[in-house]
Amino acid sequence: MNKNNTMNSLSEDELTTILLAANDIIMYGGKGLLGKILAGSKDKRIYTADLHHSPLYGAFADIKQK
């Protein structure tokens, strides 16, 4: 739920992508790092841990972050 107590719908494919990416980073970081990976961030931590090689890196690059 967001700040207005409404839910944003995600497709089953989007949820699967998020969960698979989360599984890949479980030893490296939390939701902030997960968001950066899915967005395709150039953050140093992502490159240091070779997480930019994940097939899910940049999966949501076309979606604007808040």
Side-chain angles (χ1 to χ4, degrees):
M1 289 193 190
N2 64 23
K3 292 178 183 176
N4 297 325
N5 292 327
T6 60
M7 292 184 69
N8 294 328
S9 297
L10 294 173
S11 72
E12 188 172 328
D13 286 340
E14 290 170 327
L15 288 172
T16 300
T17 299
I18 292 167
L19 292 174
L20 289 171
N23 188 54
D24 286 347
I25 67 147
I26 196 131
M27 298 300 292
Y28 299 102
K31 62 184 178 183
L33 186 60
L34 174 60
K36 289 179 180 184
I37 291 168
L38 292 172
S41 171
K42 305 293 185 202
D43 187 287
K44 182 179 177 180
R45 288 180 24 194
I46 293 170
Y47 282 84
T48 301
D50 288 330
L51 296 171
H52 62 289
H53 294 298
S54 168
L56 301 169
Y57 176 79
F60 293 113
D62 58 332
I63 299 174
K64 183 179 177 183
Q65 292 187 37
K66 292 183 179 180

